[in-house]
C-alpha cells in the first residue's frame, strides 16, 4: 500500500512545501493539495516547489475540475511540470465542489467531466484532443505521462470512473462503503472492456494518531476531524437531490446522516472547528476517518488494503499535522508496505 499526504495551500507556501518534504522522509510517496482558487493559494505554483524540493514524491491536486481552467491550460501545466521534474504528477479530478460554488458556478456535469478526462490526458501526453470543437495538440511534449484519477461517490460518477479514469479517488475510509464503490468502479471498467485491476484505488480521509484510546483522546480527535463529514455531506446532498434518499442506488449508510444538515459555509471548508459540521455524529467521524493509536490505524488500513485499496491519502487538516506524518512514518507505513 502506498501513502499520500493531502494539504490545503494556505500561506505560507513554504510551510506546505516543508510538510511535503517531511512526508517524503517518512515514506509517503504522494503529495496532494486542495484546488480552490478563491479559498487557497494557487496549487500548481506550489506543486513546482514541492517537486523541486523532493526527489521521488508524486504530486497532484485532490482534486481539480474541468471548469476553473481551460483544458489545454491544465494539460500544459501538468506537462510542463513533468518536463521539468520527470513525469511525477497525477491529475486528480472531479466535478468541482468548493472551486465552482464559491465562484458562483454550478459543479460541472458528468458529461463534461468525462470529455475533460480524455482531453487533458491526451493533450498532456502529446496527442491530439478536441477542445470546444477544435482539434489541438501541444507540439513540444515528448514522452509525457499523466495518470488521471477521478473522485466519485454516486452510481453514474462511479461508472464514468470505471470507463474513463486511470484511478479512483474515494474521499472516505469506511470499509463497507469502500467495498461497494470499488466493486461498482471495477464492474464498470470490465463492462467497458478495460482491465478492472489496472485502476489504482485511492482512499483519502483524515487520520489523527492519539497516544491511547481513552475517551478524552478520541473525543479530541473526533472534534479535529468532524469537518470531513461536512465536506462529504456536500456531495451526499447532491446525490440525495438527484436520486432520492431511499432510491436503492446509493447506500443508506452514506445518505442517512445528512438529515440534520442545514447548509454549509465554504469560508470554513476543510477546517477543524467548522461550525457547519455540527450535524455530523461521532459514528460518522469514526466510520469515515482513522482515529486512535497506531494499532487502530493499522487495523483499519489492513481491512482497506484487503478490499483492493492501493493508496491511503492522509488529510492533515488538524492540530497535529507533523505528529501524524511522523507517527505514520515510524509505525503505520512500515506495517502496511
Amino acid at each position: 500500500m502506498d501513502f499520500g499526504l493531502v494539504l490545503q495551500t494556505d500561506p505560507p507556501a513554504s510551510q506546505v512545501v516543508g510538510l511535503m518534504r517531511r512526508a517524503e522522509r517518512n515514506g509517503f510517496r504522494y503529495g496532494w493539495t486542495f484546488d480552490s482558487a478563491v479559498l487557497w493559494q494557487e496549487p500548481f505554483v506550489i506543486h513546482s516547489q514541492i517537486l523541486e524540493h523532493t526527489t521521488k514524491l508524486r504530486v497532484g491536486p485532490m482534486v481539480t475540475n474541468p471548469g476553473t481552467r481551460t483544458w489545454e491550460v491544465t494539460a500544459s501545466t501538468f506537462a510542463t511540470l513533468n518536463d521539468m521534474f520527470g513525469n511525477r504528477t497525477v491529475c486528480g479530478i472531479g466535478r468541482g465542489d468548493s472551486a465552482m460554488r464559491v465562484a458562483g458556478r454550478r459543479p460541472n456535469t458528468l458529461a463534461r467531466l468525462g470529455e475533460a478526462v480524455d482531453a487533458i490526458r491526451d493533450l498532456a501526453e502529446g496527442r491530439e484532443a478536441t477542445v470546444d470543437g477544435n482539434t489541438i495538440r501541444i507540439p513540444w511534449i515528448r514522452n509525457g505521462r499523466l495518470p488521471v484519477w477521478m473522485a466519485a461517490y454516486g452510481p453514474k460518477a462511479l461508472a464514468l470512473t470505471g470507463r474513463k479514469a486511470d484511478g479512483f479517488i474515494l474521499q472516505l475510509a469506511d470499509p463497507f462503503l469502500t467495498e461497494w464503490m470499488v466493486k461498482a468502479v471495477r464492474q464498470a471498467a470490465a463492462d467497458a472492456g478495460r482491465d478492472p485491476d489496472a485502476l489504482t484505488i485511492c482512499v483519502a480521509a483524515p487520520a489523527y494518531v492519539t497516544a491511547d484510546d481513552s475517551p478524552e483522546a478520541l473525543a479530541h480527535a473526533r472534534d479535529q476531524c468532524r469537518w470531513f463529514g461536512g465536506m462529504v455531506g456536500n456531495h451526499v446532498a447532491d446525490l440525495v437531490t438527484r436520486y432520492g434518499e431511499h432510491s436503492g442506488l446509493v447506500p443508506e449508510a452514506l445518505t442517512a446522516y445528512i438529515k440534520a444538515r442545514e447548509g454549509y459555509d465554504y469560508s470554513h471548508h476543510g477546517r477543524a472547528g467548522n461550525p457547519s459540521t455540527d450535524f455530523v455524529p461521532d459514528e460518522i467521524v469514526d466510520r469515515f476517518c482513522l482515529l486512535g493509536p497506531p494499532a487502530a490505524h493499522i487495523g483499519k488500513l489492513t481491512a482497506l488494503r484487503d478490499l483492493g485499496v492501493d493508496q491511503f491519502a492522509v488529510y492533515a487538516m488538524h492540530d497535529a499535522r507533523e505528529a501524524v506524518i511522523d507517527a505514520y512514518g515510524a509505525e503505520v507505513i512500515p506495517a502496511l508496505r
Side-chain angles (χ1 to χ4, degrees):
M1 177 179 271
D2 281 333
F3 289 83
L5 178 67
V6 189
L7 298 173
Q8 294 168 340
T9 51
D10 287 315
S14 59
Q15 187 173 64
V16 178
V17 175
L19 288 168
M20 291 297 185
R21 294 180 66 189
R22 189 181 195 123
E24 185 178 57
R25 292 195 300 269
N26 276 282
F28 288 75
R29 292 179 176 170
Y30 287 78
W32 303 95
T33 69
F34 280 36
D35 177 15
S36 190
V38 175
L39 296 177
W40 300 289
Q41 292 186 330
E42 171 55 38
F44 289 104
V45 176
I46 299 171
H47 290 173
S48 69
Q49 291 298 301
I50 296 170
L51 290 162
E52 172 68 24
H53 289 91
T54 57
T55 58
K56 297 180 179 179
L57 202 70
R58 295 184 176 273
V59 177
M62 188 177 281
V63 292
T64 193
N65 72 86
T68 52
R69 300 175 183 83
T70 59
W71 302 350
E72 69 273 19
V73 170
T74 299
S76 182
T77 302
F78 277 110
T80 301
L81 292 172
N82 283 336
D83 187 65
M84 293 171 68
F85 301 105
N87 287 341
R88 287 169 52 201
T89 65
V90 182
C91 177
I93 195 167
R95 293 176 61 228
D97 177 30
S98 63
M100 296 297 285
R101 288 183 164 122
V102 168
R105 306 185 187 101
R106 294 175 60 84
N108 297 271
T109 65
L110 288 176
R112 181 171 173 79
L113 176 58
E115 292 174 7
V117 167
D118 289 336
I120 291 169
R121 183 199 292 118
D122 284 343
L123 288 172
E125 294 184 347
R127 296 184 294 276
E128 287 186 346
T130 301
V131 178
D132 296 330
N134 298 309
T135 300
I136 58 175
R137 186 177 71 85
I138 302 174
W140 53 264
I141 295 175
R142 301 287 184 273
N143 302 315
R145 175 80 179 102
L146 183 65
V148 180
W149 298 5
M150 265 187 61
Y153 291 109
K156 291 183 180 179
L158 294 169
L160 180 64
T161 302
R163 293 195 306 270
K164 295 277 189 181
D166 303 299
F168 167 41
I169 296 172
L170 173 57
Q171 295 172 84
L172 54 82
D174 176 69
F176 171 77
L177 292 170
T178 298
E179 182 177 18
W180 182 83
M181 293 184 185
V182 169
K183 283 182 178 179
V185 168
R186 287 187 166 154
Q187 185 60 55
D191 292 345
R194 307 178 71 201
D195 178 3
D197 294 326
L199 271 76
T200 301
I201 308 297
C202 174
V203 161
Y208 198 102
V209 180
T210 60
D212 53 45
D213 56 2
S214 67
E216 295 79 11
L218 292 176
H220 179 75
R222 289 187 188 107
D223 286 344
Q224 287 292 305
C225 298
R226 198 174 306 276
W227 62 266
F228 184 67
M231 187 182 83
V232 174
N234 292 333
H235 303 285
V236 174
D238 286 345
L239 295 179
V240 170
T241 299
R242 186 173 298 114
Y243 299 108
E245 185 179 343
H246 305 292
S247 65
L249 297 173
V250 182
E252 199 159 331
L254 181 60
T255 61
Y257 84 97
I258 68 163
K259 291 178 181 178
R261 180 179 183 269
E262 296 180 350
Y264 192 81
D265 182 353
Y266 279 93
S267 66
H268 305 285
H269 188 57
R271 300 188 187 280
N274 185 339
S276 298
T277 60
D278 291 345
F279 71 94
V280 180
D282 288 351
E283 177 193 3
I284 288 295
V285 181
D286 291 346
R287 290 183 64 169
F288 287 7
C289 306
L290 277 79
L291 313 173
H297 293 246
I298 292 168
K300 192 167 188 177
L301 288 168
T302 299
L304 291 170
R305 183 183 62 184
D306 291 345
L307 294 173
V309 175
D310 300 297
Q311 179 185 155
F312 177 60
V314 176
Y315 277 108
M317 276 69 82
H318 49 56
D319 64 2
R321 294 184 300 180
E322 292 86 353
V324 75
I325 293 169
D326 294 346
Y328 263 64
E331 299 188 59
V332 179
I333 292 176
L336 272 295
R337 183 160 290 165

